[in-house]
Amino acid sequence: MCKSSLALRIREKAVELGFAACGIIKLDAIKGYAEKLEERMDCLPETRSMYEVFLKYATPEQSYGWAKSVVVCITRYGKYKVPENLEGLIGKYYLYDYKLQGHTREFQNHARFEEYLKSLNLKTARELHGVTAARWVAAKAGLGIIRKNNFLYTEHGSWVIIDTWLIDEELELIEEPKIPDCPEGCSECVQSCPTQALTQSYCTSMLTCITRLTWGIKDLPPEDLWDKMGKWVYGCDECQNACPMNYGKWEATDNYPGLGELAEKLSLESIVAMDNEELKNQMLSKFWFIRQETVYQWKVNALRAMANSYESRYEKYIIGALSDENAQVREIAKWACAKNKL
Ligand code: SF4
Ligand code: SF4
């Protein structure tokens, strides 16, 4: 089979399995990612050590010497109903993250797609955190564009998940994106960022981005941000919600398996009331960015959210957390008491 037919067959299979789009780029097309990352680090020198770890994504062949191309697929999640009680608490991406959810159609179809690639005698590699820079690769394959808030936008807006597979065949399948640029003068995303982490277009500070602060740190976030982090418990959607290019792109037609049942069990109160074992059992397989060792972050985040949206029913939970076994939980509870004069 010639290379272009092979590439087309891969895309046909991806579409048949429910992916919204599929493209393929050669490894050479990733090289510019390192330069872009350097620009980001120059713009925010204080975040250099955090961004440097991503440099490896520009050269996946260092870990996979046989790799020649990247297959990239897009999954749309902006078609699912959002549980009302979780809106504004948990970033929507994480509600529909199927990576460790074996019962979902998306998880199973990813496995089927990988089997298909292997049936074509292709060697493949995929990693939980990605084998390369997913947004960059998707944009290079013409599946969308990266906007000023740093998210990849497709015809479905930014409500998409990107997956990448390395393969050992040099293939290419690039589309022409039919998506308009950001409107001239628009800075809604920058204005909407509660912690000013999106300091300027294309420049997000990992030091102050709420998403990272809710799951990616071991210590408490900087205290001057506790108020600004508002009610977000896991992730943050503000700069995507504010974007006019996302208007009308969420069409809630489908139920996501198991999410309704989970949502019924989740509230700020129930998170604070759970002990560490319950938190591990309830949360870790679904929301896997918070790990076992830092599972107390759920309580820290929920208590901060309670303090920032205080209602009298929260009082007993905040007071109770003053004697929690974890020092960070106690500290945030103390702050919540002071803030709400309890
Ligand atoms: S995810 Fe939230 S905190 Fe991070 S840049 Fe966007 S609006 Fe700011
Ligand atoms: S809010 Fe405006 S500037 Fe920001 S990503 Fe959307 S369209 Fe672009």
Side-chain angles (χ1 to χ4, degrees), residues 96-142:
Y96 311 104
D97 179 356
Y98 43 77
K99 302 265 169 80
L100 296 182
Q101 299 282 294
H103 65 286
T104 63
R105 197 178 54 213
E106 283 86 351
F107 180 98
Q108 290 158 12
N109 283 342
H110 278 65
R112 285 187 192 113
F113 184 62
E114 210 161 298
E115 282 309 309
Y116 179 73
L117 294 176
K118 285 178 185 153
S119 76
L120 297 172
N121 289 324
L122 293 169
K123 196 167 181 175
T124 69
R126 179 164 70 114
E127 291 182 14
L128 187 58
H129 286 280
V131 277
T132 182
R135 294 177 195 178
W136 178 270
V137 171
K140 285 286 166 195

Side-chain angles (χ1 to χ4, degrees), residues 147-151 153 181-183 185-190 198 201 239-240 242-246:
R147 292 201 184 281
K148 291 181 186 175
N149 58 3
N150 292 310
F151 284 90
Y153 281 67
D181 288 336
C182 292
C186 183
S187 63
E188 295 290 327
C189 50
V190 175
L198 193 53
S201 302
C239 58
Q240 294 179 87
C243 176
M245 292 301 173
N246 266 339

